[in-house]
């Protein structure tokens, strides 16, 4: 890992504290333990869980539980690998910095820029989604104005300090956690007929098999379900980037990594189990209203639609807030390693990488503009070309961990406080699982489906890798010439 470049104009800071590397000296630690805990818990609850689960249920029936469980296991394994590397060396660049060290400069450069690209496109998606909800509440303000407002507000939040980002995310994530926990509790009581004031008939888990069986559309529907739910898990890795700006990064990463199993199990598998137990999987209300609203309506919760709109808005704002933070910190790390403009490394008086934030949000604003001006052409291309990046990131994490385990054991074995289970066999099994999902996506030839996403994402990835290899060759040639001149 490289130290902060001399061109940085970051203010002097205190020496790194426990778990913090010298690389982070330009960033001012401002995230508290409660911030990181809530980011870790809420990071796996994306808006996709609330708005995208209905299509998965329609495709796989109750078998969607297996789809969520399989993808959840994949996330658990990837997070375990990432946690092993991040606990040993917390850094704002996370998996990009580890790929740089383990696989080569081309890998760190490529996956870092692809990840940045993914999140700045997500900014546009989430800003638009939030604007749709807000326009429904206040129609006097046009949708584009709402998108602008939420982007500006959260940009200001991120520019203020890392602590303000953490505070906003603490409350956003807290609302999601309380909402999903309340949903599971109320739904569970209704399933067994003990919810006070509800006329929902006790069904137990009969709906799981009563309407065509547990797999009404056949076992193959589980794979279809995987394609529909896999991207709702993206974001669990954010805590490893955020940990670099905390006082005790190593402890925070280890804690987040060890708790990911119950987070995925409770929030994803648990809540979907409630939905498909309360209602028949083919109930028209699920497709019409959304799975969670339909479930709440079925047990007589008043204003379920409005309640869920508020929760979805919170999830959207949380994703927008985290996306801007994540994109800016990745840009900061790329700048540190000389793979992005040096200006990205500069921090303001509050230890915030202001140029990196502004550059990220600027591209986000451009993408929002594309969404309104050319939604079916330019913006659709952006969506499709970033669609498989999440899976590319997970693959890079796996291959990096294969190499980094040996590096950590050789250089600082005492830092190996988190270990991947059954190494290296489970790592290779995870690589095979991710590769299978990517190959299976190629069978989805629907408009905007898996095939076009994989192909365009591979095209963009190939272009970025080509740029990185050309840069590396130029750098080596310059170093060779400098060495010859010095002789």
């Amino acid at each position: 890992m490289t130290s902060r470049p001399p061109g940085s104009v970051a203010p002097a800071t205190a020496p790194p504290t426990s778990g913090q590397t010298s690389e982070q000296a330009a960033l001012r630690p401002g995230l508290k333990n409660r911030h990181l805990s809530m980011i870790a818990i809420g990071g796996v609850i994306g808006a996709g869980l609330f708005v995208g689960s209905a299509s998965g249920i329609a495709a796989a029936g109750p078998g969607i539980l297996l789809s969520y469980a399989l993808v959840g296991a994949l996330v658990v394994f990837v997070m375990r690998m990432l946690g092993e590397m991040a606990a040993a060396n917390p850094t704002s660049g996370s998996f990009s910095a580890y790929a740089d060290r383990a696989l080569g400069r081309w890998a760190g450069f490529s996956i870092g820029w692809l990840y940045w690209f993914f999140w700045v496109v997500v900014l546009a998606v989430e800003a638009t989604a939030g604007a749709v909800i807000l326009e429904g509440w206040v129609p006097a303000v046009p949708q584009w104005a709402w998108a602008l407002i939420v982007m500006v507000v959260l940009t200001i939040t991120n520019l203020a300090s890392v602590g303000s980002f953490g505070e906003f995310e603490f409350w956003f994530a807290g609302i999601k956690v309380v909402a999903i926990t309340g949903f599971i509790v109320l739904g569970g009581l209704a399933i067994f007929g003990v919810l006070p004031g509800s006329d929902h008939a006790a069904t137990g888990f009969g709906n799981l098999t009563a309407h065509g069986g547990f797999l009404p559309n056949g076992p193959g529907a589980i794979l279809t379900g995987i394609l529909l739910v896999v991207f709702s898990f993206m974001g669990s890795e954010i805590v490893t980037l955020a940990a670099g700006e905390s006082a005790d990064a190593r402890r925070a990463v280890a804690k987040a990594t060890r708790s990911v199993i119950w987070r995925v199990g409770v929030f994803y598998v648990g809540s979907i189990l409630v939905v498909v137990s309360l209602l028949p999987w083919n109930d028209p209300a699920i497709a019409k209203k959304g799975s969670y609203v339909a479930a709440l309506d079925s047990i007589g919760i008043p204003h379920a639609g409005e309640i869920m709109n508020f929760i979805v808005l919170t999830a959207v704002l949380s994703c927008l807030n985290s996306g801007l933070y994540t994109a800016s910190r990745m840009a900061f790390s790329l700048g540190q390693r000389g793979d992005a403009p040096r200006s990205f490394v500069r921090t303001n008086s509050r230890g915030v990488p202001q140029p990196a934030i502004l550059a990220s949000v600027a591209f986000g604003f451009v993408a929002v503009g594309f969404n309104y001006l050319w939604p079916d052409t330019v913006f659709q291309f952006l969506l499709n070309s970033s669609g498989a990046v999440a899976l590319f990131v997970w693959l890079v994490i796996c291959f990096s961990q294969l190499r980094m385990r040996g590096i950590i054991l050789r250089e600082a074995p005492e830092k190996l406080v988190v270990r991947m289970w059954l190494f290296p066999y489970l790592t290779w099994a995870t690589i095979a699982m991710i590769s299978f999902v990517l190959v299976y996506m190629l069978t989805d030839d629907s408009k905007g489906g898996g095939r076009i996403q994989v192909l365009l994402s591979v095209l963009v990835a190939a272009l970025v890798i080509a740029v990185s290899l050309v840069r590396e060759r130029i750098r080596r040639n310059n170093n060779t010439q400098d060495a010859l001149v010095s002789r």
Side-chain angles (χ1 to χ4, degrees):
M1 305 300 170
T2 58
S3 60
R4 182 167 57 87
S8 172
V9 293
T13 58
T17 54
S18 174
Q20 185 187 5
T21 69
S22 59
E23 180 184 350
Q24 302 305 309
L27 298 175
R28 182 169 300 175
L31 292 176
K32 301 176 182 178
N33 286 335
R34 65 182 178 87
H35 293 155
L36 286 172
S37 296
M38 196 56 74
I39 290 171
I41 294 172
V44 294
I45 309 174
L49 173 62
F50 299 109
V51 300
S53 54
S55 58
I57 293 172
I64 194 65
L65 289 168
L66 296 180
S67 302
Y68 273 104
L70 288 170
V71 178
L74 197 62
V75 171
V76 168
F77 298 153
V78 171
M79 279 297 296
R80 187 74 183 184
M81 286 181 262
L82 182 56
E84 176 179 300
M85 296 182 289
N89 186 14
T91 170
S92 62
S94 188
F95 51 83
S96 173
Y98 308 140
D100 192 305
R101 179 81 188 277
L103 306 177
R105 290 292 299 272
W106 68 272
F109 175 97
S110 302
I111 204 63
W113 277 113
L114 286 172
Y115 192 68
W116 179 87
F117 172 60
F118 171 86
W119 279 110
V120 293
V121 173
V122 167
L123 294 182
V125 174
E126 301 298 343
T128 304
V132 170
I133 296 174
L134 291 167
E135 186 188 30
W137 292 346
V138 187
V141 180
Q143 192 180 119
W144 67 266
W146 278 121
L148 179 65
I149 289 169
V150 297
M151 288 278 280
V152 168
V153 169
L154 292 178
T155 299
I156 294 172
T157 299
N158 274 264
L159 286 172
S161 69
V162 68
S164 64
F165 154 76
E167 200 64 32
F168 267 72
E169 194 56 29
F170 175 83
W171 291 105
F172 286 153
I175 291 172
K176 292 189 293 183
V177 169
V178 169
I180 204 76
T181 303
F183 174 81
I184 292 172
V185 171
L186 292 176
L189 293 174
I191 288 169
F192 295 103
V194 294
L195 180 65
S198 174
D199 58 358
H200 187 277
T203 58
F205 297 108
N207 279 327
L208 296 179
T209 56
H211 305 276
F214 185 71
L215 296 172
N217 297 325
I222 297 173
L223 298 177
T224 303
I226 286 175
L227 299 188
L228 293 171
V229 307
V230 64
F231 298 106
S232 64
F233 283 83
M234 190 63 175
S236 55
E237 73 288 338
I238 291 175
V239 68
T240 63
L241 282 82
E245 291 179 80
S246 69
D248 193 354
R250 189 164 291 118
R251 179 175 175 273
V253 169
K255 183 179 178 182
T257 301
R258 289 166 181 150
S259 66
V260 72
I261 297 177
W262 71 260
R263 288 186 278 131
V264 168
V266 171
F267 296 133
Y268 277 87
V269 180
S271 65
I272 296 299
L273 175 62
V274 168
V275 172
V276 293
S277 298
L278 282 174
L279 293 168
W281 70 271
N282 53 359
D283 191 316
I286 294 178
K288 182 179 179 180
K289 301 177 182 178
S291 51
Y292 289 83
V293 174
L296 290 173
D297 277 343
S298 74
I299 60 178
I301 301 297
H303 310 293
E306 290 81 358
I307 293 172
M308 192 52 60
N309 268 341
F310 173 74
I311 295 169
V312 170
L313 177 63
T314 301
V316 164
L317 295 178
S318 172
C319 188
L320 189 58
N321 191 41
S322 295
L324 182 52
Y325 172 85
T326 303
S328 64
R329 272 23 177 214
M330 185 58 71
F332 173 85
S333 177
L334 288 166
Q336 279 189 319
R337 288 175 273 145
D339 291 334
R342 290 292 186 185
S343 60
F344 285 3
V345 186
R346 295 181 185 141
T347 57
N348 61 20
S349 60
R350 296 175 297 279
V352 173
Q354 184 170 304
I357 291 174
L358 293 177
S360 301
V361 79
F363 193 94
F365 276 122
V366 170
V368 170
F370 288 154
N371 193 18
Y372 286 106
L373 296 174
W374 304 289
D376 299 323
T377 53
V378 178
F379 188 68
Q380 190 63 41
F381 171 80
L382 292 178
L383 284 179
N384 289 335
S385 60
S386 63
V389 167
L391 294 170
F392 295 168
V393 168
W394 292 351
L395 271 179
V396 167
I397 289 171
C398 294
F399 282 111
S400 298
Q401 190 261 343
L402 284 172
R403 297 286 301 278
M404 284 298 294
R405 168 66 73 90
I407 294 173
I408 296 169
L409 286 174
R410 185 170 62 252
E411 296 182 354
E414 72 281 359
K415 292 183 178 180
L416 199 62
V417 294
V418 176
R419 289 175 179 262
M420 176 60 182
W421 307 294
L422 300 177
F423 177 82
Y425 309 108
L426 196 51
T427 299
W428 281 111
T430 306
I431 291 171
M433 291 167 65
I434 298 170
S435 301
F436 176 80
V437 172
L438 284 168
V439 171
Y440 191 74
M441 286 177 70
L442 293 173
T443 66
D444 179 13
D445 59 357
S446 60
K447 183 180 179 180
R451 178 180 298 175
I452 190 67
Q453 289 185 28
V454 171
L455 293 177
L456 287 180
S457 296
V458 167
L459 174 62
V460 171
L463 291 173
V464 175
I465 291 172
V467 170
S468 69
L469 293 175
V470 170
R471 281 171 51 89
E472 187 64 22
R473 174 168 292 185
I474 293 173
R475 183 182 291 114
R476 282 200 300 265
N477 289 340
N478 289 339
N479 290 340
T480 301
Q481 291 175 4
D482 291 343
L484 292 173
V485 170
S486 64
R487 290 179 183 178

